[in-house]
Amino acid sequence: METYEALSSFENLKTSYPDLYNQINSIIKEVIALRRDLRKHPELAFEETRTAQIVATKLRDWGYQVTEGVGKTGVVGILKGEKEGPVVGLRADMDALPMMDEITADYRSLTDHVAHTCGHDAHTSILLGVAKIFAERGLKKGTLKLVFQPAEEIGEGAAAMIADGVLENPKVDMMAGLHVHPTIETGQFGITETEFSCAAMDLFELEIKGNGGHAAHPHRTIDPVAIAAQVITALQQIVSRNTDPLDSVVVSIGQIHGGTKSTIIPDSVTLSGTVRTLNPVTREAVAKKVRSIATTITEGLGGECDVNYRFVTPSIKIDKVLRGLFEETITELFTSDAIVYKNPSMGGEDFAYYSHEIPAVFFNLGTNGGNPETAYSNHNSRFDVDEQAFVYGIAALFQLASNYLERTDE
């Protein structure tokens, strides 16, 4: 591996936290090597057995109490301090996406149609870097609980781990997590000033039933294709005419299935789509509106509509106190210029489940190194990250957890 000298530019970190600076510098090559190995060997949701084994082995080697199989393939590592105190949870997701990896680097995926094109390989490696530093330093007070989570990409891993008791024994007092992002430059951190930072992600399927027949005689049919067109158009009224312009809602149809031939009006058409909302009250209202619009229009035109509406992941709720601690921590480490205040994302992220159970903070880690290779969006087949950003991620999570443990009374 090439010589890594990323820390040469972190003058504020070097001056204010020289011990942390030196510690990160001593492990950064190991962290990068681990990330490249995970990129080459991605695993899909609830199939992260190799990744989980690597995580569990390293945590045990470093003295953590390790529990495997949490939420099916999740791993939890616990490090206890010398004295009783609060319990800090830090989370990383481990799963990859079902798509091709088209980067040209030698660490591209070796598995066809499976790739770490969202950055979970980076999240896992960064948190393992944090784990090693805490293991070397030890804890004076409190407990560190590291949560390596499966199945974020299908929105089920966090809920599965919570169901298996990940927030208990010991009970977690706060949870923090990060997500790499190419819209932010390396050396910067993105966070929202609003209560909700990532949208709730819900799915729906509408089966519009009519009465098929010959396309030359539409008057003898109840045309579900024509009805579907009306429903699609009307659903957009939810955003443009039924939602406060200062609120945020997305209603998108991603799939339309129906028919077998151009001269046949089918018996049914199926529409599949997604709804994204930030406000939980709006989330409930939009769900009712989708159902009402779809059934009313369909029935009014002589058909029937079966609605399957699924609430998937809630919106991420950012605790106000923890946001303040995050801002203070980043300012201490890298100055306030490193903080970028961003708009909420309408993308989904199942870290949200933790945030509705306990106080939580979630932020973006800038990974755009100023070149085309690190500028592709998440879920793009050429997505990659600037590995220099790992230093920032490790420092931020380590110091955030340390500050919470030191400044929070039992």
Side-chain angles (χ1 to χ4, degrees):
M1 186 185 302
E2 69 273 14
T3 302
Y4 195 79
E5 300 178 345
L7 284 172
S8 61
S9 64
F10 306 142
E11 294 304 322
N12 196 73
L13 176 64
K14 185 176 181 180
T15 301
S16 301
Y17 292 86
D19 291 341
L20 180 57
Y21 170 95
N22 291 328
Q23 233 178 333
I24 296 176
N25 203 22
S26 71
I27 68 168
I28 193 63
K29 289 183 179 179
E30 179 182 355
V31 172
I32 291 172
L34 173 62
R35 178 261 166 168
R36 294 183 179 186
D37 176 73
L38 295 180
R39 176 83 188 223
K40 289 172 69 174
H41 301 93
E43 296 170 301
L44 295 174
F46 291 129
E47 298 176 8
E48 310 92 333
T49 53
R50 179 182 185 274
T51 305
Q53 185 59 52
I54 290 172
V55 169
T57 298
K58 288 186 176 295
L59 291 178
R60 284 196 181 95
D61 289 346
W62 298 334
Y64 283 78
Q65 175 188 328
V66 176
T67 304
E68 298 179 71
V70 183
K72 191 173 181 179
T73 48
V75 179
V76 177
I78 294 176
L79 187 67
K80 294 185 178 180
E82 299 172 10
K83 300 189 302 182
E84 293 293 324
V87 179
V88 169
L90 300 178
R91 173 267 203 174
D93 37 14
M94 302 186 293
D95 58 322
L97 284 160
M99 60 187 293
M100 291 298 294
D101 190 345
E102 296 183 358
I103 61 172
T104 58
D106 59 6
Y107 50 83
R108 70 190 297 267
S109 174
L110 297 177
T111 306
D112 284 344
H113 301 289
V114 184
H116 270 299
T117 46
C118 195
H120 297 184
D121 54 335
H123 302 167
T124 298
S125 304
I126 287 169
L127 190 54
L128 282 173
V130 174
K132 188 167 187 180
I133 291 178
F134 269 114
E136 292 174 351
R137 289 195 174 197
L139 284 177
K140 293 182 179 180
K141 183 182 77 169
T143 299
L144 179 68
K145 181 179 278 191
L146 303 181
V147 177
F148 291 86
Q149 179 205 301
E152 187 280 328
E153 293 295 354
I154 62 172
E156 297 179 12
M161 293 196 82
I162 291 171
D164 271 1
V166 74
L167 299 180
E168 306 297 332
N169 302 317
K171 183 176 176 59
V172 180
D173 295 301
M174 69 85 84
M175 182 75 81
L178 60 76
H179 202 300
V180 294
H181 216 278
T183 62
I184 304 173
E185 295 180 4
T186 300
Q188 294 186 320
F189 301 83
I191 193 167
T192 63
E193 294 181 282
T194 54
E195 181 181 8
F196 299 102
S197 68
C198 273
M201 191 277 283
D202 301 320
L203 301 172
F204 63 86
E205 184 176 279
L206 311 175
E207 184 182 6
I208 298 172
K209 300 175 182 178
N211 184 21
H214 201 298
H217 308 291
H219 59 291
R220 296 174 182 169
T221 72
I222 297 174
D223 188 349
V225 176
I227 296 173
Q230 296 293 325
V231 170
I232 292 171
T233 300
L235 287 176
Q236 298 310 312
Q237 298 285 321
I238 295 174
V239 177
S240 65
R241 288 297 178 268
N242 298 129
T243 301
D244 186 329
L246 299 180
D247 201 350
S248 298
V249 175
V250 172
V251 179
S252 293
I253 302 293
Q255 291 182 303
I256 304 174
H257 295 286
T260 58
K261 195 174 187 294
S262 58
T263 58
I264 301 173
I265 291 174
D267 286 320
S268 66
V269 170
T270 300
L271 309 177
S272 299
T274 185
V275 170
R276 308 298 173 102
T277 53
L278 293 173
N279 189 319
V281 175
T282 304
R283 184 188 193 192
E284 295 286 344
V286 171
K288 292 178 181 178
K289 203 68 178 177
V290 168
R291 184 179 298 276
S292 174
I293 287 174
T295 55
T296 301
I297 289 178
T298 302
E299 290 171 3
L301 294 174
E304 298 178 8
C305 184
D306 290 341
V307 180
N308 179 12
Y309 197 103
R310 292 195 297 122
F311 292 102
V312 185
T313 57
S315 51
I316 294 181
K317 187 176 182 180
I318 303 297
D319 181 79
K320 187 175 182 179
V321 173
L322 291 180
R323 183 194 292 110
L325 182 62
F326 166 81
E327 293 167 333
E328 181 181 342
T329 299
I330 298 304
T331 299
E332 289 174 356
L333 291 170
F334 304 111
T335 79
S336 60
D337 291 339
I339 302 173
V340 176
Y341 292 102
K342 56 188 285 291
N343 291 326
S345 168
M346 299 311 287
E349 161 61 69
D350 80 349
F351 180 88
Y353 284 106
Y354 306 114
S355 75
H356 286 265
E357 297 288 333
I358 58 174
V361 63
F362 191 78
F363 58 91
N364 287 137
L365 175 68
T367 56
N368 189 332
N371 60 72
E373 286 75 21
T374 59
Y376 291 99
S377 67
N378 304 82
H379 293 213
N380 184 289
S381 60
R382 295 187 65 182
F383 171 84
D384 204 355
V385 297
D386 177 11
E387 292 168 331
Q388 175 171 286
F390 297 179
V391 181
Y392 289 94
I394 293 169
L397 285 178
F398 172 82
Q399 198 58 46
L400 179 65
S402 296
N403 286 346
Y404 184 87
L405 289 170
E406 293 169 3
R407 301 174 191 183
T408 303
D409 295 330
E410 295 181 39

